[in-house]
Each structure stands twice: as C-alpha cells, then as structure tokens.
C-alpha cells in the first residue's frame, strides 16, 4: 500500500486507528478457547467488530511465535482475513545484518516465502543502515523504525545525548531519513509527552508515525493529534488491549471501544489537520 | 546450561566453536532438497559432522521464519536432534517491551509454549532494561545482548560518543552489567579490530562474548583469542557459511572445516588462557 492509498482510507473512515492484535490464549474470552483455532476465531471477531473504524491492524508477532508452528498458521489465516484495503503492520522489531535482514523481509513481505504479505514491519535500528535497507527495497512496503518508544527502558539509551547534544532517538531519525523517503519509512513514537511530540514532528515533518502507548499505556490521543498531525495526517495511533479485551462479548465490546476512539479521531481531524 | 557446564565442555572438546545453522534452501547441496524436510536433513548432516568439534549451535531464526510454519517445524526437529550437552543459541535479535518480551522468552525458553528449549537468545538493547529483564528471570538461561556488531552499519549508532565521550556500545555493556550477572549475560562482539577486543574485555572481564565475523566475515581467530580470552575462556566464536557450505559432501566438508578451527582453538587455549 502506498501513502496516497493510506491517506485516502483515513479520510474515508475519518480514523487513524490501528488495532493491535496482541492475541493471547490466556486472555481471550472463554468461548473462543473451544474453537479449533482459538486465536484465529478471536481475531475474526475483533476484525469483524472493528474494520469499519480501523485503518490498520498490527499483530504483535511475539504472541504468535510463542505458540510455535500453529501460531504461525493462526497468523497466516488472520492476514488472509483482514480486508485488503486495510494497512497491515508486522510488529516484529527485527534487526540483523544484510543477508539475514533479507530473510526477515521475505518472511513478512513475500507471500511465496512464508505465506505472509504485510504492508510494513517494525525494525530496530541498533545495527544500522545495512540492517534496515533490505526492507526498503520492496515496492509499496514500509519500514517502521523504532525511534522513541513508550516504555520505561526508553530512557536507558534512546535519550542519551551525544557529543553534539543530540539524543540517540533524534540521531536515529535523522540518519534513517537519508536511507529512505517518507513513502517507505515511518517511525515508532511513544505518545507520552507533548514536548517530545512537537520535537519529533519538527525532525520528520513528512513521515508517518506509528504511536503506541495510547490507552492501556496511558498517552493522550488529543495531544498526539494536536502536536504531531501533519497535512497528510501522518499518524497511525495504536490501541491493543483497550479494544480487544474490552469485554467478554468481543463483537460488541471491541466495536464499542473502536467506535469511541474513531469518533474522537473524527473531531481531531477537523481540528488539528494542518 | 550454566557457565560451569559450558566451560567444562570447552575444556573437554578443546574448542570454543559455535556452528551457525543459517540453513538456506537455495544454498544447501542438491541431494538434501529431495528429502521430505530438506532443512532438517541438512542440519542433521551438519550436526553429525561437527558435534565433536563444536560446543554450541546457533540457528539464525530468520532462515526458519522465512519458510513459514514448516520452517518452525524444521527448527523444532533440529533442536531435538542437537546433543543435550551442547549449548544452543537462538539468534533471534528480539527486543520489545515487558509483556511482549515475556512472550519472546516463552517462545525460545519454554518448551511447553512453542516446543523450543534454547539455552540462550540474542537480544537487541535499543528499548532498554524492561525489554531485556524478562529473559533474565529464567534459571540457567542466557541473554546474549548485541553490543558491538561486525557489520558496516555498526558505525551508524554503536560508535556514537555521548557527552561523557562513552561510545554507545560501551554504555550498553556497562548498563546491562547492572541488570544481570556474567552467569546470565553474554555480549555479541564483532571480531574485527584488536584494539576493540582489548577494550571490551576490559569493560566486561567476566562475561562470555559471542563472536561472529570470524571466517566469511573476515576476523582473525588468533586476535580474538589473544585479546579477549579470560580465565574461563569467555569466548564462543561462531562460523556459519565457512563450515556448513564448505562443500557438496556436507559430512566430509563440514567436519573438515570444523576440525580445522577446533585444532587452531586447541593451540590458543594453551597459549592465551589467562
């Protein structure tokens, strides 16, 4: 999917909501556990309930890997079930040297390889350029690079200032922007503080940001819209647990929570799109 | 496996060789491609040929993931086939926030979860403490943290000096050493320059280092032994392509190349163990 298609979908749905499919056998409602493939059955219910409000789905790969081969099968079936006009994110946070990065790119981008055909993948920047570039060679596919994450540990290294007083997350963003255009490169930006949101939008005026940390992790959606929206919207805001585990009757509760966020986003699109 | 058992095995085999199982359908000898599970058949041949010379096996997870569910099945079978006294490394370079890191830990450490039971996993440090700690809670399991890698891109961020002139890889090592003891924490150190090898051993005198980049990637084994061996040996040196793809008759060629490296290591254990 290219950015024009993504923006068009955002405009049609009046939403920049990404639903995180962190589907965990021990947390899904009991009734799904009797199904042959409980995770897929649960994901179907979530997708049915939310696809009119969401513009993206983001399975966190750890939850599928942890179940071994049958987890990968649930993931394949889920990917086939997601409507084709919705953007998909493999939240995999991979990062390895060139020939291995190419294998990871095949895994998530090349259906002939693993059966998966994601639009994008999250990638860790620690190993530098040659660990990111293999993902950027795919047409209409995206790298979503970790920049400033929303967890406590983000302070350990991401905030470290270098000799020229530039924090590491900023160096990662500025360096990566020379590797790929805003047509292929998004950043993961943890939504916690308004001053950081302003700063990262200043650093990368045209890139999309994937923003976790709204909802269960505690960020304010209005701050994200107010300080980081650009003329292309430029935002995908994720909610996982707050939507998918909102109640035992998933069809009702997930729809209700997704709609609530979509309606808020609708207002912010009027108010803050520059 | 604990460090005493690992060191004992190194002493018995007079080797600190790790064989990288980067098994790729397009690179393995033609005869294996006719097997029902070509990757597993190839890995069996490599393991049969090298297990008397190697103290560790390191499947790079990307190569298995790229094949979808059947790749994970090949990986499971390979893990079951590796002799129980040999150290195993999931070269996965994972790294995510707490509850997701826990899922990744289950994937690779908890056989009841995914069917896999690795001794260790490689982890990326970018997201900080809470992305690493869940792996450290497992008894007799190890985190092998990316510190200084061997690829060109390692210069992009790992070498960046902070306000106090400490390069990022050093900050990663010193910070991580407060999270876990040398009984649970190793570092990935790319074997390229002798001055760096001396430096990292100075920073972490007691930790094991996993050293890729000897062989196909071009480092000198003697330099690694000379500058980074400690009283516990403290080294696992990996070779992948140089061993597993050394010839069409894998049983002969992999054994020959592994033996060659083991004999060199035998000499260095006499010469450089402090």
């Amino acid at each position: 999917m290219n950015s024009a298609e993504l923006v068009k979908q955002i405009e049609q749905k009046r939403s920049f909501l990404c639903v995180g499919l962190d589907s965990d056998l021990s947390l899904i409602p009991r009734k799904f556990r009797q199904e042959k493939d409980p995770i897929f059955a649960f994901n179907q219910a979530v997708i049915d309930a939310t696809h009119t409000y969401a513009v993206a789905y983001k399975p966190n790969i750890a939850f599928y890997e942890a179940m071994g081969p049958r987890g990968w099968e649930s993931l394949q079936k889920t990917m086939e079930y997601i409507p084709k006009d919705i953007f998909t994110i493999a939240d995999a946070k991979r990062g390895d040297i060139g020939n291995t990065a190419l294998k990871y790119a095949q895994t998530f981008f090349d259906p002939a390889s693993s059966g998966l055909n994601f639009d994008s993948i999250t990638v860790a920047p620690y190993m530098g350029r040659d660990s990111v570039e293999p993902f950027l060679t795919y047409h209409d596919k995206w790298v979503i690079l970790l920049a400033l994450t929303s967890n406590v540990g983000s302070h350990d290294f991401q905030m470290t200032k270098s000799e020229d007083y530039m924090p590491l997350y900023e160096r990662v963003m500025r360096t990566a922007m020379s590797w790929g255009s805003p047509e292929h490169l998004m950043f993961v930006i943890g939504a916690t503080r308004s001053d950081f949101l302003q700063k990262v939008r200043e650093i990368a005026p045209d890139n999309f940001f994937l923003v976790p940390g709204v909802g269960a992790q505690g960020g304010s959606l209005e701050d994200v819209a107010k300080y980081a929206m650009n003329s292309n919207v430029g935002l995908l805001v994720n909610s996982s647990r707050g939507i998918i585990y909102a109640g035992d009757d998933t069809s009702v509760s997930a729809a209700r929570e997704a709609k609530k966020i979509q309606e808020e986003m609708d207002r912010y699109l009027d108010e803050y799109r520059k």
Side-chain angles (χ1 to χ4, degrees), chain A:
Chain A
M1 188 179 295
N2 63 34
S3 70
E5 291 162 330
L6 178 57
V7 174
K8 192 176 148 202
Q9 196 197 163
I10 292 172
E11 287 168 346
Q12 281 170 347
K13 291 183 176 167
R14 303 286 301 167
S15 167
F16 43 97
L17 172 62
C18 172
V19 174
L21 298 171
D22 300 359
S23 308
D24 186 334
L25 207 54
S26 66
L27 296 178
I28 63 176
R30 182 179 302 268
K31 66 177 174 193
F32 295 108
R33 285 180 233 166
Q34 285 133 27
E35 302 280 339
K36 201 176 154 223
D37 184 339
I39 293 296
F40 175 56
F42 173 72
N43 286 349
Q44 275 185 304
V46 171
I47 294 163
D48 287 345
T50 58
H51 72 93
T52 50
Y53 309 113
V55 297
Y57 286 107
K58 178 175 79 61
N60 188 314
I61 305 304
F63 290 81
Y64 300 86
E65 264 188 29
M67 300 181 67
R70 77 200 157 104
W72 283 84
E73 279 160 21
S74 305
L75 181 61
Q76 284 177 339
K77 284 190 266 178
T78 302
M79 288 302 293
E80 277 157 29
Y81 194 74
I82 294 173
K84 292 295 158 273
D85 60 336
I86 297 191
F87 191 75
T88 52
I89 301 168
D91 195 0
K93 302 191 176 70
R94 300 298 192 255
D96 207 323
I97 55 168
N99 68 327
T100 308
L102 204 61
K103 286 282 164 193
Y104 281 128
Q106 283 172 14
T107 304
F108 295 103
F109 290 168
D110 179 359
S113 175
S114 70
L116 299 172
N117 191 11
F118 280 92
D119 290 308
S120 66
I121 180 175
T122 57
V123 174
Y126 191 74
M127 295 183 75
R129 181 175 191 145
D130 47 337
S131 70
V132 176
E133 278 189 332
F135 296 98
L136 291 168
T137 60
Y138 281 77
H139 183 63
D140 282 352
K141 302 284 188 183
W142 300 73
V143 164
I144 309 183
L145 198 66
L146 296 183
L148 184 59
T149 60
S150 55
N151 62 321
V152 179
S154 65
H155 291 264
D156 287 323
F157 309 119
Q158 295 167 26
M159 300 291 189
T160 302
K161 286 192 175 143
S162 56
E163 286 172 291
D164 54 5
Y165 304 109
M166 189 186 286
L168 180 61
Y169 77 86
E170 181 176 350
R171 182 173 307 278
V172 165
M173 293 178 72
R174 293 195 187 276
T175 307
M177 286 166 72
S178 72
W179 303 339
S181 81
E183 278 293 321
H184 288 285
L185 181 67
M186 302 188 184
F187 294 108
V188 174
I189 301 293
T192 41
R193 282 170 46 185
S194 56
D195 50 343
F196 280 115
L197 288 164
Q198 281 179 292
K199 176 81 186 290
V200 290
R201 184 48 81 199
E202 207 179 286
I203 297 168
D206 300 324
N207 296 74
F208 260 85
F209 295 160
L210 170 63
V211 184
V214 164
Q217 290 177 57
S220 146
L221 178 56
E222 180 157 18
D223 278 356
V224 174
K226 187 168 174 184
Y227 297 110
M229 199 180 283
N230 65 16
S231 62
N232 257 338
V233 186
L235 293 173
L236 293 172
V237 172
N238 184 74
S239 175
S240 302
R241 287 164 280 175
I243 290 176
I244 70 175
Y245 300 135
D248 270 349
D249 189 353
T250 305
S251 324
V252 175
S253 57
R256 183 189 62 229
E257 295 306 313
K259 184 166 189 278
K260 208 185 290 174
I261 297 176
Q262 182 272 321
E263 286 172 347
E264 209 183 326
M265 289 176 165
D266 183 15
R267 292 200 304 278
Y268 301 150
L269 283 169
D270 281 335
E271 207 157 339
Y272 300 116
R273 188 169 175 185
K274 282 142 202 144

